[in-house]
Amino acid sequence: MDKPFLYDQDFYGWTQQQAKALEQRLVMELDWQHLQEEIQALGRQEYRELVSRLSVLLGHLLKWEYQPEQRSRSWFLTIREQRRAIHRHLRQNPSLKSRIEEALLDGFEAGVDLALRETNLPLRTFPEHCLYLFDDAIADNFLCDTRQDWEG
C-alpha cells in the first residue's frame, strides 16, 4: 500500500509503518509530508494542553476570588491539581515557556467562560484582561494556599 493512501485510509497502520521505517532507517519508506504535519500537530497539542490546564486553573481562581462564600474542597483540589499538572507539563516541555504569555491570555478567556458557567455572577464581575501573573497563578500560596490541607 502506498504511503499517502495508507495515511488516509488506516492512520494507525501508517503510524506503525512509519515507526518501523524510522527504526530501520529506511529513508525511502518515510512519508515526509505527513510526518512533518503530524510532528507539528504534536507540538500544537502540547500547547493546547497548557492552555486547557490554565483555563481550568484561572477559572477556579476567579471563582475563588470573586465568589468566596462558595469556596469548596472541590475548588481547592482543582486548583491544586491544575497547578501541579502545569508544573509537570512545563518540566516535560520546557520550550513551552516561550509561549507562556500567549497561553495565559488564551487560558484566561476560557477561564472566564468557565467561571461564568459555574457561578451566578455577571460577566462585568470579572476583569476584561488577566490580572494574574503566570508565576503567581501557579504558585501554591497565591489566592488559594494549596501547600496545606483544605480548611473550609
Side-chain angles (χ1 to χ4, degrees):
M1 221 182 274
D2 85 84
K3 294 174 290 258
F5 179 81
L6 187 59
Y7 178 85
D8 292 331
Q9 300 301 316
D10 182 2
F11 183 75
Y12 178 77
W14 175 85
T15 64
Q16 299 310 293
Q17 183 232 25
Q18 293 300 294
K20 185 175 180 181
L22 285 167
E23 177 185 20
Q24 296 176 359
R25 299 195 182 352
L26 300 173
V27 175
M28 297 306 290
E29 295 296 314
L30 295 173
D31 180 359
W32 292 100
Q33 177 188 349
H34 288 122
L35 280 171
Q36 176 191 3
E37 291 170 8
E38 292 303 322
I39 289 172
Q40 289 171 330
L42 288 171
R44 288 189 301 273
Q45 181 179 338
E46 295 305 319
Y47 175 77
R48 283 192 306 271
E49 171 76 14
L50 176 61
V51 170
S52 176
R53 296 283 185 180
L54 279 168
S55 298
V56 175
L57 173 62
L58 295 171
H60 278 76
L61 288 174
L62 289 167
K63 292 181 347 177
W64 192 270
E65 183 174 4
Y66 290 94
Q67 202 170 44
E69 69 282 359
Q70 297 294 321
R71 290 177 181 169
S72 67
R73 179 175 173 80
S74 174
W75 290 5
F76 171 86
L77 292 173
T78 297
I79 291 168
R80 178 183 163 99
E81 173 189 357
Q82 296 308 315
R83 284 176 171 160
R84 288 178 170 200
I86 291 166
H87 281 289
R88 188 171 44 253
H89 195 62
L90 289 175
R91 269 195 318 274
Q92 294 168 351
N93 300 280
S95 295
L96 279 173
K97 291 176 184 173
S98 68
R99 298 190 66 192
I100 281 176
E101 292 305 315
E102 179 185 356
L104 190 65
L105 293 174
D106 290 344
F108 182 73
E109 290 176 351
V112 169
D113 291 344
L114 181 150
L116 287 169
R117 268 192 317 275
E118 296 183 8
T119 68
N120 291 322
L121 300 173
L123 177 59
R124 68 180 175 276
T125 303
F126 304 108
E128 286 185 37
H129 305 286
C130 187
L131 302 179
Y132 308 139
L133 299 175
F134 177 81
D135 289 337
D136 289 341
I138 65 168
D140 292 338
N141 61 343
F142 179 74
L143 284 180
C144 173
D145 190 346
T146 54
R147 295 173 299 181
Q148 53 203 3
D149 200 3
W150 163 251
E151 308 251 345

mmCIF file with all atom_site columns, all heavy atoms in Angstrom, residues 137-148:
data_model
loop_
_atom_site.group_PDB
_atom_site.id
_atom_site.type_symbol
_atom_site.label_atom_id
_atom_site.label_alt_id
_atom_site.label_comp_id
_atom_site.label_asym_id
_atom_site.label_entity_id
_atom_site.label_seq_id
_atom_site.pdbx_PDB_ins_code
_atom_site.Cartn_x
_atom_site.Cartn_y
_atom_site.Cartn_z
_atom_site.occupancy
_atom_site.B_iso_or_equiv
_atom_site.pdbx_formal_charge
_atom_site.auth_seq_id
_atom_site.auth_comp_id
_atom_site.auth_asym_id
_atom_site.auth_atom_id
_atom_site.pdbx_PDB_model_num
ATOM 1  N N   . ALA A 1 137 ? -0.100 32.785 39.480 1.00 0.00 ? 137 ALA A N   1
ATOM 2  C CA  . ALA A 1 137 ? -1.213 31.841 39.316 1.00 0.00 ? 137 ALA A CA  1
ATOM 3  C C   . ALA A 1 137 ? -0.812 30.408 39.634 1.00 0.00 ? 137 ALA A C   1
ATOM 4  O O   . ALA A 1 137 ? -1.609 29.654 40.199 1.00 0.00 ? 137 ALA A O   1
ATOM 5  C CB  . ALA A 1 137 ? -1.773 31.932 37.902 1.00 0.00 ? 137 ALA A CB  1
ATOM 6  N N   . ILE A 1 138 ? 0.411  30.037 39.291 1.00 0.00 ? 138 ILE A N   1
ATOM 7  C CA  . ILE A 1 138 ? 0.819  28.650 39.539 1.00 0.00 ? 138 ILE A CA  1
ATOM 8  C C   . ILE A 1 138 ? 1.533  28.471 40.880 1.00 0.00 ? 138 ILE A C   1
ATOM 9  O O   . ILE A 1 138 ? 1.908  27.352 41.233 1.00 0.00 ? 138 ILE A O   1
ATOM 10 C CB  . ILE A 1 138 ? 1.681  28.093 38.383 1.00 0.00 ? 138 ILE A CB  1
ATOM 11 C CG1 . ILE A 1 138 ? 3.008  28.833 38.265 1.00 0.00 ? 138 ILE A CG1 1
ATOM 12 C CG2 . ILE A 1 138 ? 0.910  28.104 37.076 1.00 0.00 ? 138 ILE A CG2 1
ATOM 13 C CD1 . ILE A 1 138 ? 4.000  28.155 37.337 1.00 0.00 ? 138 ILE A CD1 1
ATOM 14 N N   . ALA A 1 139 ? 1.694  29.564 41.627 1.00 0.00 ? 139 ALA A N   1
ATOM 15 C CA  . ALA A 1 139 ? 2.331  29.477 42.947 1.00 0.00 ? 139 ALA A CA  1
ATOM 16 C C   . ALA A 1 139 ? 1.360  28.864 43.952 1.00 0.00 ? 139 ALA A C   1
ATOM 17 O O   . ALA A 1 139 ? 0.182  29.238 44.002 1.00 0.00 ? 139 ALA A O   1
ATOM 18 C CB  . ALA A 1 139 ? 2.774  30.859 43.409 1.00 0.00 ? 139 ALA A CB  1
ATOM 19 N N   . ASP A 1 140 ? 1.841  27.949 44.751 1.00 0.00 ? 140 ASP A N   1
ATOM 20 C CA  . ASP A 1 140 ? 0.998  27.225 45.702 1.00 0.00 ? 140 ASP A CA  1
ATOM 21 C C   . ASP A 1 140 ? 0.307  28.122 46.723 1.00 0.00 ? 140 ASP A C   1
ATOM 22 O O   . ASP A 1 140 ? -0.707 27.724 47.297 1.00 0.00 ? 140 ASP A O   1
ATOM 23 C CB  . ASP A 1 140 ? 1.823  26.172 46.449 1.00 0.00 ? 140 ASP A CB  1
ATOM 24 C CG  . ASP A 1 140 ? 2.267  25.041 45.549 1.00 0.00 ? 140 ASP A CG  1
ATOM 25 O OD1 . ASP A 1 140 ? 1.645  24.823 44.497 1.00 0.00 ? 140 ASP A OD1 1
ATOM 26 O OD2 . ASP A 1 140 ? 3.255  24.370 45.905 1.00 0.00 ? 140 ASP A OD2 1
ATOM 27 N N   . ASN A 1 141 ? 0.843  29.304 46.958 1.00 0.00 ? 141 ASN A N   1
ATOM 28 C CA  . ASN A 1 141 ? 0.271  30.143 48.008 1.00 0.00 ? 141 ASN A CA  1
ATOM 29 C C   . ASN A 1 141 ? -0.470 31.373 47.466 1.00 0.00 ? 141 ASN A C   1
ATOM 30 O O   . ASN A 1 141 ? -0.840 32.250 48.231 1.00 0.00 ? 141 ASN A O   1
ATOM 31 C CB  . ASN A 1 141 ? 1.364  30.593 48.980 1.00 0.00 ? 141 ASN A CB  1
ATOM 32 C CG  . ASN A 1 141 ? 2.439  31.423 48.298 1.00 0.00 ? 141 ASN A CG  1
ATOM 33 O OD1 . ASN A 1 141 ? 2.555  31.423 47.085 1.00 0.00 ? 141 ASN A OD1 1
ATOM 34 N ND2 . ASN A 1 141 ? 3.236  32.103 49.099 1.00 0.00 ? 141 ASN A ND2 1
ATOM 35 N N   . PHE A 1 142 ? -0.740 31.429 46.176 1.00 0.00 ? 142 PHE A N   1
ATOM 36 C CA  . PHE A 1 142 ? -1.434 32.571 45.581 1.00 0.00 ? 142 PHE A CA  1
ATOM 37 C C   . PHE A 1 142 ? -2.945 32.368 45.653 1.00 0.00 ? 142 PHE A C   1
ATOM 38 O O   . PHE A 1 142 ? -3.463 31.359 45.183 1.00 0.00 ? 142 PHE A O   1
ATOM 39 C CB  . PHE A 1 142 ? -0.991 32.753 44.130 1.00 0.00 ? 142 PHE A CB  1
ATOM 40 C CG  . PHE A 1 142 ? -1.668 33.895 43.430 1.00 0.00 ? 142 PHE A CG  1
ATOM 41 C CD1 . PHE A 1 142 ? -1.322 35.207 43.722 1.00 0.00 ? 142 PHE A CD1 1
ATOM 42 C CD2 . PHE A 1 142 ? -2.641 33.666 42.474 1.00 0.00 ? 142 PHE A CD2 1
ATOM 43 C CE1 . PHE A 1 142 ? -1.946 36.266 43.075 1.00 0.00 ? 142 PHE A CE1 1
ATOM 44 C CE2 . PHE A 1 142 ? -3.265 34.717 41.820 1.00 0.00 ? 142 PHE A CE2 1
ATOM 45 C CZ  . PHE A 1 142 ? -2.920 36.023 42.118 1.00 0.00 ? 142 PHE A CZ  1
ATOM 46 N N   . LEU A 1 143 ? -3.660 33.311 46.245 1.00 0.00 ? 143 LEU A N   1
ATOM 47 C CA  . LEU A 1 143 ? -5.112 33.313 46.431 1.00 0.00 ? 143 LEU A CA  1
ATOM 48 C C   . LEU A 1 143 ? -5.610 32.110 47.225 1.00 0.00 ? 143 LEU A C   1
ATOM 49 O O   . LEU A 1 143 ? -6.265 32.249 48.233 1.00 0.00 ? 143 LEU A O   1
ATOM 50 C CB  . LEU A 1 143 ? -5.859 33.383 45.103 1.00 0.00 ? 143 LEU A CB  1
ATOM 51 C CG  . LEU A 1 143 ? -5.895 34.723 44.400 1.00 0.00 ? 143 LEU A CG  1
ATOM 52 C CD1 . LEU A 1 143 ? -6.672 34.618 43.083 1.00 0.00 ? 143 LEU A CD1 1
ATOM 53 C CD2 . LEU A 1 143 ? -6.519 35.813 45.248 1.00 0.00 ? 143 LEU A CD2 1
ATOM 54 N N   . CYS A 1 144 ? -5.365 30.939 46.750 1.00 0.00 ? 144 CYS A N   1
ATOM 55 C CA  . CYS A 1 144 ? -5.783 29.702 47.398 1.00 0.00 ? 144 CYS A CA  1
ATOM 56 C C   . CYS A 1 144 ? -4.515 28.953 47.772 1.00 0.00 ? 144 CYS A C   1
ATOM 57 O O   . CYS A 1 144 ? -3.790 28.481 46.902 1.00 0.00 ? 144 CYS A O   1
ATOM 58 C CB  . CYS A 1 144 ? -6.627 28.881 46.412 1.00 0.00 ? 144 CYS A CB  1
ATOM 59 S SG  . CYS A 1 144 ? -7.054 27.242 46.971 1.00 0.00 ? 144 CYS A SG  1
ATOM 60 N N   . ASP A 1 145 ? -4.230 28.867 49.055 1.00 0.00 ? 145 ASP A N   1
ATOM 61 C CA  . ASP A 1 145 ? -2.986 28.254 49.522 1.00 0.00 ? 145 ASP A CA  1
ATOM 62 C C   . ASP A 1 145 ? -3.123 26.727 49.495 1.00 0.00 ? 145 ASP A C   1
ATOM 63 O O   . ASP A 1 145 ? -3.749 26.126 50.375 1.00 0.00 ? 145 ASP A O   1
ATOM 64 C CB  . ASP A 1 145 ? -2.652 28.747 50.917 1.00 0.00 ? 145 ASP A CB  1
ATOM 65 C CG  . ASP A 1 145 ? -1.254 28.348 51.349 1.00 0.00 ? 145 ASP A CG  1
ATOM 66 O OD1 . ASP A 1 145 ? -0.638 27.480 50.702 1.00 0.00 ? 145 ASP A OD1 1
ATOM 67 O OD2 . ASP A 1 145 ? -0.754 28.937 52.338 1.00 0.00 ? 145 ASP A OD2 1
ATOM 68 N N   . THR A 1 146 ? -2.530 26.129 48.484 1.00 0.00 ? 146 THR A N   1
ATOM 69 C CA  . THR A 1 146 ? -2.642 24.669 48.324 1.00 0.00 ? 146 THR A CA  1
ATOM 70 C C   . THR A 1 146 ? -1.430 23.942 48.892 1.00 0.00 ? 146 THR A C   1
ATOM 71 O O   . THR A 1 146 ? -1.227 22.759 48.636 1.00 0.00 ? 146 THR A O   1
ATOM 72 C CB  . THR A 1 146 ? -2.834 24.309 46.822 1.00 0.00 ? 146 THR A CB  1
ATOM 73 O OG1 . THR A 1 146 ? -1.790 24.900 46.064 1.00 0.00 ? 146 THR A OG1 1
ATOM 74 C CG2 . THR A 1 146 ? -4.179 24.781 46.329 1.00 0.00 ? 146 THR A CG2 1
ATOM 75 N N   . ARG A 1 147 ? -0.626 24.642 49.705 1.00 0.00 ? 147 ARG A N   1
ATOM 76 C CA  . ARG A 1 147 ? 0.501  23.975 50.359 1.00 0.00 ? 147 ARG A CA  1
ATOM 77 C C   . ARG A 1 147 ? 0.031  23.158 51.549 1.00 0.00 ? 147 ARG A C   1
ATOM 78 O O   . ARG A 1 147 ? 0.749  22.312 52.049 1.00 0.00 ? 147 ARG A O   1
ATOM 79 C CB  . ARG A 1 147 ? 1.523  25.026 50.864 1.00 0.00 ? 147 ARG A CB  1
ATOM 80 C CG  . ARG A 1 147 ? 2.191  25.803 49.766 1.00 0.00 ? 147 ARG A CG  1
ATOM 81 C CD  . ARG A 1 147 ? 3.034  26.906 50.346 1.00 0.00 ? 147 ARG A CD  1
ATOM 82 N NE  . ARG A 1 147 ? 2.156  27.810 51.110 1.00 0.00 ? 147 ARG A NE  1
ATOM 83 C CZ  . ARG A 1 147 ? 2.575  28.896 51.731 1.00 0.00 ? 147 ARG A CZ  1
ATOM 84 N NH1 . ARG A 1 147 ? 3.842  29.223 51.731 1.00 0.00 ? 147 ARG A NH1 1
ATOM 85 N NH2 . ARG A 1 147 ? 1.720  29.671 52.383 1.00 0.00 ? 147 ARG A NH2 1
ATOM 86 N N   . GLN A 1 148 ? -1.153 23.460 52.020 1.00 0.00 ? 148 GLN A N   1
ATOM 87 C CA  . GLN A 1 148 ? -1.678 22.770 53.203 1.00 0.00 ? 148 GLN A CA  1
ATOM 88 C C   . GLN A 1 148 ? -3.004 22.096 52.840 1.00 0.00 ? 148 GLN A C   1
ATOM 89 O O   . GLN A 1 148 ? -3.477 22.212 51.731 1.00 0.00 ? 148 GLN A O   1
ATOM 90 C CB  . GLN A 1 148 ? -1.880 23.762 54.332 1.00 0.00 ? 148 GLN A CB  1
ATOM 91 C CG  . GLN A 1 148 ? -2.731 24.960 53.917 1.00 0.00 ? 148 GLN A CG  1
ATOM 92 C CD  . GLN A 1 148 ? -2.475 26.171 54.798 1.00 0.00 ? 148 GLN A CD  1
ATOM 93 O OE1 . GLN A 1 148 ? -1.629 26.151 55.678 1.00 0.00 ? 148 GLN A OE1 1
ATOM 94 N NE2 . GLN A 1 148 ? -3.215 27.236 54.571 1.00 0.00 ? 148 GLN A NE2 1
#
